[in-house]
Each structure stands twice: as C-alpha cells, then as structure tokens.
C-alpha cells in the first residue's frame, strides 16, 4: 500500500521551478480542467510509479534480463542484468533500465528519460535507483531513490512493502479521459454551484 511509504515521499524538497509546476498541476486538478497526468491519457507511468500504483505486477527472470509485467495499461518493462547503460539510446517515457544483484537485493538504475517525463517537476535528468528485496516469501520490499538536479535540491528515498496476492486478478482497462473526464466534469459542476466559475 503506497500509504505506508516511509521517507519524504509526499513532500520532497523541490526547487522553486519544480514546485511551481507541481502547484500548477494541483490547481488544474482542483479547478476541474484537464491536466497532463498519464492516467488521464492512458500513457505509461515512469518508475517509481510503475510500482507505486500497485495494481498487480509479475516478475519473470531470464539469464540476462528481468521482465516486469504490470497490470495497469498492460505495461511491459525490461531490466537488463549485469551490463552498463548503452552509449547511445533513444530516450523513452519509462527510461532505460539496467540492474544487478547485491546479495539478495535486485538493484535497478533507470536513466534516459525524455524531457516530457515528469515526476513532480523532473525531466530528462531524472535518475531512479530501485532496490527490491524479499524479507519473506509473501513480501517484496520496494525502495527507490529519486535523483534529478532539475527538480530536487538533493536525492531522496522512500520505501514500502508489496504483498503477494492470491486474489482474482481482473484485466485493467483504460479509456482515455474515462474516469478522469467524469471527475473533471464533477469538479466543474461543483464550482458552478459554489459560484466559483462566474
């Protein structure tokens, strides 16, 4: 459950420019206007949101890579093991991930995001370090460190447990603007009743 996050997740130290972006997105969400959130447009989330959403995930390990299958938006993420980031790679919204094991802990470094990647005001300079450890058979401890000098005055870290589920997994379906549009309209009608849109 992301509400069990440990660390400075909700209030990381933002630089003024990034803080203004986060503030503006909050204002747009409260005003009932459409705003550029991946969930409103059925776009994939970048790490660490791929884990933080916790709508179901499966890991498949091969000799030279690990594949993460996320239920949300049917996302597939490949982490190459025991190799460096390539010298030339095309940036993507989810970045490019390489990993290695430190004992029983999988450590993943993701870089090469696009300038449209936004994690609380971050951009293509975002670097995410993820650590996954299994303290017991039914728990996966997920820890991530965010490092982006564009948005944050210092790197910061958070962690939370993910629990194995034996419940029925239902297919995730996203229709652009589906619930987001409904909520936007509800917010606009509420503001009209309160006289805020005059």
């Amino acid at each position: 459950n992301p509400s069990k996050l440990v660390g400075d997740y909700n209030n990381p130290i933002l630089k003024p420019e990034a803080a203004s972006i986060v503030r503006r997105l909050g204002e747009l969400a409260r005003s009932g206007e459409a705003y550029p959130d991946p969930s409103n447009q059925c776009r994939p989330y970048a790490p660490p949101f791929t884990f933080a959403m916790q709508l179901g995930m499966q890991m498949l390990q091969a000799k030279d890579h690990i594949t993460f299958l996320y239920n949300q938006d049917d996302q597939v993420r490949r982490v190459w093991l025991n190799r460096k980031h390539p010298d030339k790679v095309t940036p993507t919204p989810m970045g490019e991930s390489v990993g290695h094991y430190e004992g029983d802990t999988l450590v993943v470094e993701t870089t090469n995001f696009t300038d449209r990647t936004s994690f609380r005001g971050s951009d293509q300079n975002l670097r995410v370090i993820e650590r996954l450890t299994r303290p017991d058979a039914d728990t996966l401890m997920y820890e991530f460190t965010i490092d982006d000098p564009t948005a944050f005055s210092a790197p910061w870290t958070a962690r939370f447990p993910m629990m194995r589920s034996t419940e029925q997994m239902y297919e995730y379906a996203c229709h652009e603007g589906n619930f987001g549009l409904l909520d936007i309209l509800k917010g606009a009608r509420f503001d009209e009743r309160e006289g805020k849109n005059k």
Side-chain angles (χ1 to χ4, degrees):
N1 185 338
S3 65
K4 296 180 181 179
L5 285 169
V6 176
D8 199 11
Y9 176 76
N10 292 316
N11 298 296
I13 299 172
L14 291 168
K15 289 187 174 179
E17 299 84 1
S20 68
I21 292 171
V22 172
R23 234 183 337 270
R24 177 65 182 141
L25 290 176
E27 290 167 1
L28 286 172
R30 287 188 295 276
S31 73
E33 295 180 44
Y35 63 102
D37 182 87
S39 65
N40 285 346
Q41 301 166 357
C42 299
R43 291 187 292 122
Y45 280 101
F49 275 136
T50 45
F51 280 98
M53 297 305 290
Q54 293 208 35
L55 296 174
M57 180 268 295
Q58 184 178 22
M59 295 172 61
L60 304 172
Q61 182 161 346
K63 181 179 179 181
D64 61 350
H65 68 275
I66 295 176
T67 301
F68 292 96
L69 306 174
Y70 301 103
N71 191 31
Q72 182 172 12
D73 297 324
D74 297 321
Q75 292 185 60
V76 177
R77 178 182 175 209
R78 180 158 292 150
V79 176
W80 296 101
L81 295 175
N82 303 314
R83 75 177 197 187
K84 296 180 180 179
H85 289 284
D87 291 333
K88 293 183 179 181
V89 63
T90 301
T92 69
M94 290 183 69
E96 191 261 340
S97 302
V98 297
H100 65 276
Y101 278 95
E102 294 179 1
D104 293 334
T105 299
L106 173 63
V107 180
V108 179
E109 178 185 36
T110 305
T111 59
N112 294 307
F113 293 98
T114 70
D115 59 0
R116 295 184 63 201
T117 298
S118 181
F119 180 80
R120 299 183 68 87
S122 64
D123 60 12
Q124 71 270 20
N125 294 316
L126 176 63
R127 178 173 170 260
V128 181
I129 303 293
E130 301 162 286
R131 302 177 69 86
L132 294 90
T133 307
R134 291 184 68 182
D136 59 59
D138 294 322
T139 307
L140 182 68
M141 184 59 71
Y142 178 67
E143 177 180 298
F144 64 90
T145 299
I146 299 293
D147 185 4
D148 186 343
T150 301
F152 304 103
S153 58
W156 57 277
T157 300
R159 66 186 179 118
F160 58 88
M162 299 175 66
M163 310 308 293
R164 182 193 299 271
S165 174
T166 58
E167 299 296 319
Q168 172 72 43
M169 180 70 71
Y170 294 96
E171 181 181 2
Y172 179 91
C174 182
H175 305 282
E176 186 171 349
N178 187 357
F179 290 104
L181 181 59
L182 178 63
D183 292 338
I184 288 166
L185 293 172
K186 282 181 181 177
R189 298 299 82 81
F190 175 81
D191 283 346
E192 287 172 357
R193 286 193 302 274
E194 298 293 313
K196 295 180 182 177
N197 285 352
K198 293 181 179 178

